[in-house]
C-alpha cells in the first residue's frame, strides 16, 4: 500500500538536513520540474506546428520542397521525443526529490545537456537541412548526402548529448531511490513479493507507486544509454573517417533499441504523474502491492526486449530475435492492462471523482494509451506487420499513445497543479470545448493515419497519392482542431495561474505548495 | 475485405469497446461514492479473471500467428522461381519484367547503398508483402501471385530526398 512516509523519515541524505532545509530543496526541485515541463511543452507545441506543415504538404494544400519536408520530418521526430522526455524527466525528478535528497545542480546539468542536444538537432535540421530521419539507419547519413558535412556530426552529437543528459538523470534518480528505499531490493519492492509476511510484520512501508517507474526507467535508461553511446561513437568515427565500416544490421539493432526505448520511457515516466495525480481527484490511494511491483518487473524486462519487433522484416535477423520481439511485445501489454489501467479504473469506479481539466486529461490519456497499445499489438503481430510496417499505421499508433496518452498525462499534471493553487474553477462549457477540440481533434488526426496505413499508404513520403492526400487532409483538419483546443487550454491555464497568484490559497493545499508534504496528506477537496 | 481491412476493423471495434468502458466508468464515478475497501475486494477478484483472459487471448493470438511466420517459408523450395533484386537510391535493379501466376516466387533482395524497403502492391494498389533491402545482407520474400496484372514495387524505408519517387514494377501473367 502506498502509505506516505514523513519527509523527515524518508529523506535520506549524506548529511542530515533539517525539515526546513529539505523543504527548500523540494521547492527548488519543483522549480526545476517546472523548467523541464515548460521547455518540453513549448517544444511540443512548436513541433506540433511543424507536424501540421508536413500533413498539409501531404494533403497537397501547402506543398513543401522534399528537402524541407524530410529535414522537418527529422526535426519533428527527434525533437518531439526529446521534448516529451524532458517533461517526463522533470516530473520524475521532482517526485523522487520529495522522497530523497538530490542535488538540484545535477538536475540542471541533465537539463542543460538535453537542451544542448535539442539545439544541435535544431541547427542540423533547420540550418544544415540534415534529413536522414531521426532513426538514421546506417549508412544513410553518409551516402550521397545533400546536407553539409557539419550537420551530420551536429545531429549525432546532439543525440549523444540528449543521451548523456538522460544518463545523468538516470544515475541520480537510481542512486536516490536506492538510498531512500533500501537498495534495489527495496526500491523495486522485492520483499513485498518474496518475504511478504516478514515485510508486513516489520512494519516497513513499500515505496510509493511513483518510485517504481522512476527506478525501472533509471535502470533501463542506463542500459539504453550504453547502447546508444556505442552506436553514437561508431557513427562519429565513421563521420570523421569514411574508410571505417559498420555492420548495418548491428547498427539497426542498436538504433531501434535506442529509439524504441526512449519513446517508451516517455510513457512510463509520465505515468508517475498519474500515480500521484489521480488519487487526489478520487480521494483514494494508489497502492503499491505485490501485483503492482511484479507488473513493473515485467515492464523492466519487456521494455528491453520488445524493440526487436522493429526488425521483423529483416529476414537476416535470427528467427529467435523475431520470436523474442513478438512475445515481449504481447507480454508488455499485461502490466499495462492488468496493473496500471485496471488499477486506475478501480481508483475511479464509484469514487465521486472531481472532474476538472487535470483529471480529464489524465483519465482520457489512459484510454489513449490503451488505444495506441492495441494498434501497436496488431502491428507487433508478425503476419500483420508485413502489411503494416512503414505504412501510416505506425505513426497512427505512436501518436495515439504519445499525443493521446503521454502528452495528456503531462497536461493533466500541469492543470492539477494550477487547480490546486486557486479557488477558481474551469467552467463546464470550457471543459466540454476542450474535450471536443483536443480529444476530438486528436481522434480525427490519429484515425486518418490508421485508415491510410490499412490502405497501404507509406509513411515518410513527402508527396502523396490517393487515398493518401485526402486522408492527410482529414488528418490536417484534426490537427488544426487539436491545436485550437490546446490554445484554449493555454488561455484557461493562464487564467487559472493568474487567479492563483491573486486569490488566497486553499488551506488544504498550502503544505503542498510549500513542498514539504506528500500526496496522501492533501487528498480531498 | 482484405486482411488490412479486417485488422483496421478489429482496431475500431476494440477502440469503441474501450471508449464505451471508459465512458461508463466516468459516468459511474459521479454517483454516491463508495469506500476504496468496498471497491477493492470485488475489483481484485475481477482482476484475476481479467489477467487470465488477457493471457489466454495473447497466447491464442501468438499461437495462431506462428504458422504465418514468413521466415521459414522464405527459403526457396522445389518449384519456386527466384529473382535477385538490388535496390539503390532511387530505383530497383534486376526487377523481372514478368512473373508467373500461381507459382511461388522468391525475391532475394539486397541493396548496393543504403537500407531500402521492397514492398509489392497489387493492381488494386493493395500492399501484398514487403521486406527490407539492406546493404551486405540478403532478405528473401516469398510470394505466390494469384491475380494477373501490373504490380508496383515501392521503397517503404526512408532512403533519401527522392525516396517517395523510388518505384518499379512487373507484370504477373
Amino acid at each position: 500500500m502506498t502509505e506516505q512516509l514523513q519527509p523527515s523519515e524518508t529523506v535520506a541524505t549524506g548529511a542530515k538536513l533539517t525539515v526546513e532545509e529539505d523543504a527548500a530543496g523540494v521547492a527548488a526541485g519543483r522549480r526545476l520540474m517546472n523548467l523541464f515541463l515548460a521547455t518540453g511543452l513549448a517544444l511540443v507545441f512548436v513541433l506540433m506546428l511543424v507536424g501540421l506543415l508536413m500533413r498539409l504538404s501531404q494533403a497537397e494544400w501547402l506543398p513543401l520542397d522534399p528537402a524541407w519536408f524530410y529535414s522537418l520530418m527529422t526535426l519533428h521526430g527527434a525533437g518531439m521525443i526529446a521534448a516529451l522526455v524532458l517533461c517526463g524527466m522533470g516530473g520524475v525528478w521532482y517526485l523522487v526529490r520529495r522522497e530523497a535528497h538530490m542535488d538540484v545542480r545535477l538536475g540542471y546539468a541533465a537539463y542543460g545537456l538535453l537542451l544542448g542536444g535539442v539545439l544541435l538537432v535544431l541547427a542540423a535540421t533547420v540550418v544544415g537541412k540534415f534529413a536522414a530521419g531521426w532513426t538514421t539507419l546506417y549508412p544513410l547519413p553518409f551516402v550521397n548526402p545533400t546536407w553539409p558535412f557539419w550537420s551530420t556530426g551536429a545531429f549525432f552529437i546532439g543525440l549523444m548529448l540528449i543521451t548523456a543528459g538522460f544518463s545523468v538523470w538516470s544515475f541520480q534518480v537510481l542512486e536516490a531511490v536506492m538510498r531512500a528505499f533500501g537498495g534495489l531490493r527495496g526500491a523495486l519492492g522485492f520483499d513485498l513479493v518474496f518475504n511478504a509476511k516478514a515485510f508486513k510484520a516489520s512494519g516497513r512501508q513499500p515505496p510509493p507507486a511513483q518510485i517504481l517507474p522512476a527506478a525501472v526507467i533509471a535502470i533501463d535508461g542506463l542500459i539504453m544509454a550504453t547502447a546508444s553511446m556505442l552506436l553514437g561513437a561508431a557513427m562519429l568515427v565513421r563521420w570523421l573517417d569514411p574508410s571505417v565500416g559498420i555492420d548495418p544490421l548491428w547498427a539497426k539493432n542498436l538504433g531501434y533499441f535506442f529509439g524504441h526505448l526512449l519513446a517508451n520511457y516517455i510513457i512510463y515516466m509520465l505515468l508517475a504523474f498519474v500515480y500521484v495525480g489521480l488519487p487526489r481527484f478520487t480521494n483514494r490511494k494508489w497502492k503499491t502491492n505485490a501485483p503492482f511491483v511484479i507488473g513493473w518487473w515485467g515492464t523492466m524486462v519487456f521494455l528491453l526486449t520488445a524493440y526487436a519487433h522493429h526488425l521483423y522484416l529483416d529476414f537476416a535477423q535470427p528467427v529467435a530475435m523475431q520470436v523474442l520481439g513478438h512475445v515481449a511485445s504481447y507480454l508488455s501489454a499485461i502490466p499495462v492492462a492488468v496493473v496500471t489501467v485496471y488499477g486506475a479504473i478501480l481508483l475511479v469506479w464509484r469514487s465521486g471523482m472531481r472532474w476538472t481539466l487535470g483529471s480529464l486529461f489524465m483519465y482520457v490519456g489512459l484510454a489513449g494509451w490503451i488505444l495506441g497499445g492495441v494498434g501497436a499489438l496488431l502491428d507487433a503481430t508478425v503476419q500483420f506487420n508485413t502489411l503494416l510496417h512503414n505504412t501510416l499505421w505506425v505513426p497512427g499508433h505512436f501518436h495515439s499513445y504519445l499525443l493521446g496518452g503521454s502528452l495528456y498525462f503531462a497536461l493533466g499534471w500541469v492543470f492539477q497543479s494550477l487547480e490546486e493553487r486557486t479557488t477558481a474553477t474551469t467552467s463546464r462549457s470550457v471543459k466540454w470545448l476542450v474535450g471536443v477540440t483536443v480529444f476530438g481533434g486528436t481522434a480525427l488526426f490519429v484515425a486518418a493515419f490508421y485508415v491510410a496505413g490499412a490502405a497501404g499508404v507509406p509513411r515518410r513520403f513527402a508527396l502523396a497519392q490517393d487515398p493518401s492526400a485526402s486522408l492527410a487532409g482529414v488528418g490536417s483538419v484534426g490537427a488544426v482542431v487539436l491545436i485550437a483546443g490546446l490554445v484554449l487550454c493555454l488561455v484557461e491555464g493562464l487564467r487559472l495561474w493568474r487567479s492563483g497568484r491573486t486569490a488566497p490559497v486553499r488551506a488544504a493545499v498550502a503544505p503542498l505548495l510549500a513542498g514539504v508534504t506528500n500526496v496522501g496528506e492533501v487528498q480531498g477537496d | 475485405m482484405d486482411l488490412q481491412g479486417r485488422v483496421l476493423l478489429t482496431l475500431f471495434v476494440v477502440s469503441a469497446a474501450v471508449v464505451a468502458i471508459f465512458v461508463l466508468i466516468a459516468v459511474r464515478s459521479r454517483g454516491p461514492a463508495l469506500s476504496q475497501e468496498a471497491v477493492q475486494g470485488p475489483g481484485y477478484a475481477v482482476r484475476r479473471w481479467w489477467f487470465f483472459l488477457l493471457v489466454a487471448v495473447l497466447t491464442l493470438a501468438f499461437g495462431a500467428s506462428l504458422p504465418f511466420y514468413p521466415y521459414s517459408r522464405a527459403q526457396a523450395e522445389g518449384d519456386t522461381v527466384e529473382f535477385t533484386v538490388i535496390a539503390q537510391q532511387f530505383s530497383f535493379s534486376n526487377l523481372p519484367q514478368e512473373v508467373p501466376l500461381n507459382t511461388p516466387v522468391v525475391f532475394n533482395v539486397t541493396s548496393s547503398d543504403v537500407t531500402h524497403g521492397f514492398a509489392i502492391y497489387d493492381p488494386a494498389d493493395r500492399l501484398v508483402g514487403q521486406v527490407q533491402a539492406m546493404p551486405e545482407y540478403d532478405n528473401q520474400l516469398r510470394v505466390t501471385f494469384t491475380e494477373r496484372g501490373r504490380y508496383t514495387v515501392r521503397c517503404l524505408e526512408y532512403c533519401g530526398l527522392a525516396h517517395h519517387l523510388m518505384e518499379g514494377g512487373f507484370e504477373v501473367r
Side-chain angles (χ1 to χ4, degrees):
Chain A
M1 180 167 174
T2 310
E3 293 293 341
Q4 302 301 324
L5 304 181
Q6 293 304 311
S8 57
E9 293 170 352
T10 59
V11 174
T13 62
K16 199 162 183 67
L17 295 181
T18 65
V19 170
E20 290 74 21
E21 283 169 335
D22 189 56
V26 174
R30 189 173 186 103
R31 286 194 293 276
L32 177 66
M33 173 188 69
N34 289 342
L35 179 65
F36 268 96
L37 274 173
T39 310
L41 291 176
L43 272 172
V44 164
F45 191 78
V46 171
L47 293 169
M48 217 174 248
L49 297 176
V50 171
L52 173 62
L53 273 182
M54 289 159 56
R55 284 307 260 164
L56 287 172
S57 176
Q58 288 175 328
E60 296 172 351
W61 291 348
L62 193 66
L64 290 172
D65 174 74
W68 264 115
F69 180 92
Y70 290 122
S71 57
L72 289 180
M73 179 189 81
T74 305
L75 170 67
H76 180 77
M80 272 295 192
I81 292 289
L84 288 168
V85 163
L86 274 168
C87 293
M89 284 170 64
V92 170
W93 200 99
Y94 168 67
L95 295 176
V96 172
R97 178 60 189 88
R98 296 191 323 174
E99 311 293 333
H101 175 70
M102 293 161 79
D103 190 335
V104 76
R105 289 171 299 182
L106 269 181
Y108 279 104
Y111 171 84
L113 286 167
L114 254 95
L115 196 63
V118 169
L119 290 175
L120 276 179
V121 167
L122 197 68
T125 52
V126 176
V127 182
K129 285 201 174 181
F130 177 80
W134 96 271
T135 45
T136 56
L137 293 180
Y138 175 84
L140 177 60
F142 310 107
V143 176
N144 304 320
T146 53
W147 47 86
F149 177 76
W150 67 264
S151 69
T152 304
F155 186 81
F156 285 121
I157 294 170
L159 286 189
M160 289 175 81
L161 282 180
I162 290 170
T163 307
F166 196 75
S167 305
V168 170
W169 176 93
S170 298
F171 272 120
Q172 195 183 18
V173 165
L174 187 58
E175 187 276 334
V177 297
M178 285 174 67
R179 177 162 34 84
F181 295 99
L184 272 185
R185 185 189 181 98
L188 293 175
F190 284 149
D191 288 335
L192 209 56
V193 177
F194 297 120
N195 296 304
K197 281 184 183 171
F199 184 77
K200 198 172 179 183
S202 72
R204 288 158 56 206
Q205 299 295 335
Q210 64 273 19
I211 294 304
L212 268 297
V216 165
I217 300 304
I219 294 167
D220 280 4
L222 289 173
I223 298 171
M224 178 278 287
T226 306
S228 165
M229 284 297 192
L230 191 60
L231 178 62
M235 291 291 209
L236 282 184
V237 170
R238 170 63 181 79
W239 174 58
L240 294 169
D241 182 356
S243 69
V244 172
I246 301 173
D247 184 297
L249 191 57
W250 175 84
K252 201 175 194 180
N253 270 281
L254 287 191
Y256 280 121
F257 187 73
F258 160 69
H260 173 85
L261 283 171
L262 202 56
N264 275 269
Y265 292 164
I266 291 168
I267 311 167
Y268 291 99
M269 285 193 291
L270 288 168
L271 205 51
F273 281 151
V274 180
Y275 286 156
V276 175
L278 210 53
R280 298 191 196 180
F281 294 112
T282 59
N283 207 24
R284 289 176 177 170
K285 292 180 177 177
W286 201 304
K287 301 185 175 187
T288 305
N289 50 27
F292 182 83
V293 298
I294 292 170
W296 273 100
W297 299 348
T299 296
M300 186 163 58
V301 175
F302 306 145
L303 269 175
L304 295 174
T305 44
Y307 91 93
H309 62 219
H310 291 276
L311 289 97
Y312 281 159
L313 297 184
D314 290 287
F315 289 18
Q317 182 95 326
V319 176
M321 288 296 289
Q322 315 291 20
V323 175
L324 178 70
H326 193 165
V327 171
S329 303
Y330 276 16
L331 289 178
S332 64
I334 295 174
V336 176
V338 176
V339 176
T340 292
V341 175
Y342 189 83
I345 283 172
L346 278 190
L347 216 63
V348 174
W349 179 254
R350 301 197 63 179
S351 63
M353 175 152 150
R354 285 184 298 120
W355 288 99
T356 68
L357 283 181
S359 58
L360 259 178
F361 272 118
M362 287 189 187
Y363 186 72
V364 177
L366 288 165
W369 186 26
I370 287 286
L371 298 183
V374 174
L377 278 182
L378 289 167
D379 192 27
T381 304
V382 177
Q383 183 193 2
F384 304 150
N385 185 266
T386 58
L387 300 175
L388 300 175
H389 186 81
N390 277 341
T391 69
L392 286 175
W393 185 279
V394 182
H397 83 65
F398 68 65
H399 277 95
S400 299
Y401 56 66
L402 289 179
L403 166 61
S406 305
L407 180 63
Y408 288 3
F409 294 160
L411 290 174
W413 178 261
V414 170
F415 271 103
Q416 181 177 51
S417 303
L418 292 169
E419 288 155 1
E420 284 176 341
R421 287 161 181 259
T422 176
T423 50
T425 54
T426 300
S427 70
R428 193 179 164 83
S429 56
V430 169
K431 280 188 272 191
W432 270 104
L433 208 51
V434 167
V436 170
T437 53
V438 177
F439 305 146
T442 302
L444 194 61
F445 172 68
V446 167
F449 277 136
Y450 279 124
V451 174
V457 177
R459 67 185 291 209
R460 293 174 173 151
F461 258 38
L463 299 179
Q465 62 269 3
D466 279 333
S468 157
S470 45
L471 285 169
V474 173
S476 300
V477 171
V480 169
V481 172
L482 160 67
I483 289 168
L486 290 177
V487 171
L488 176 64
C489 286
L490 180 65
V491 172
E492 178 62 8
L494 285 173
R495 188 186 72 80
L496 291 174
W497 178 68
R498 289 183 61 183
S499 162
R501 288 186 59 154
T502 52
V505 175
R506 285 178 294 179
V509 297
L512 176 78
L513 302 183
V516 294
T517 190
N518 284 313
V519 182
E521 296 158 12
V522 291
Q523 285 178 349
D525 207 3
Chain B
M1 187 184 288
D2 59 17
L3 183 58
Q4 293 99 313
R6 294 199 295 276
V7 172
L8 183 67
L9 185 64
T10 304
L11 175 73
F12 282 164
V13 169
V14 175
S15 298
V18 169
V19 170
I21 290 168
F22 270 76
V23 169
L24 172 73
I25 290 160
V27 169
R28 293 304 301 270
S29 77
R30 299 173 74 97
L34 294 178
S35 71
Q36 187 164 13
E37 288 66 33
V39 172
Q40 206 167 271
Y44 283 175
V46 172
R47 179 162 72 177
R48 203 166 300 125
W49 287 105
W50 170 224
F51 169 75
F52 288 124
L53 176 68
L54 190 62
V55 169
V57 168
L58 291 174
T59 307
L60 277 175
F62 178 70
S65 68
L66 274 179
F68 297 97
Y69 263 41
Y71 309 113
S72 58
R73 293 190 302 136
Q75 307 304 318
E77 291 164 7
D79 295 336
T80 55
V81 178
E82 275 192 72
F83 299 102
T84 296
V85 179
I86 301 167
Q88 67 270 307
Q89 290 174 326
F90 296 97
S91 62
F92 296 97
S93 297
N94 293 356
L95 263 183
Q97 296 290 314
E98 285 186 19
V99 170
L101 187 71
N102 294 325
T103 306
V105 176
V106 172
F107 293 96
N108 293 308
V109 184
T110 188
S111 165
S112 61
D113 46 32
V114 303
T115 299
H116 298 274
F118 177 84
I120 302 173
Y121 287 76
D122 72 9
D125 215 23
R126 286 176 305 209
L127 181 56
V128 295
Q130 59 169 317
V131 75
Q132 292 272 288
M134 284 191 71
E136 301 176 35
Y137 287 92
D138 287 330
N139 286 318
Q140 285 86 33
L141 177 65
R142 182 187 173 108
V143 189
T144 301
F145 297 100
T146 55
E147 281 180 45
R148 295 176 197 277
R150 179 78 186 165
Y151 285 68
T152 306
V153 176
R154 295 196 179 98
C155 173
L156 290 202
E157 189 62 74
Y158 174 63
C159 59
L161 297 192
H163 162 60
H164 52 280
L165 301 177
M166 183 171 164
E167 71 175 46
F170 53 81
E171 205 73 36
V172 171
R173 289 182 182 162

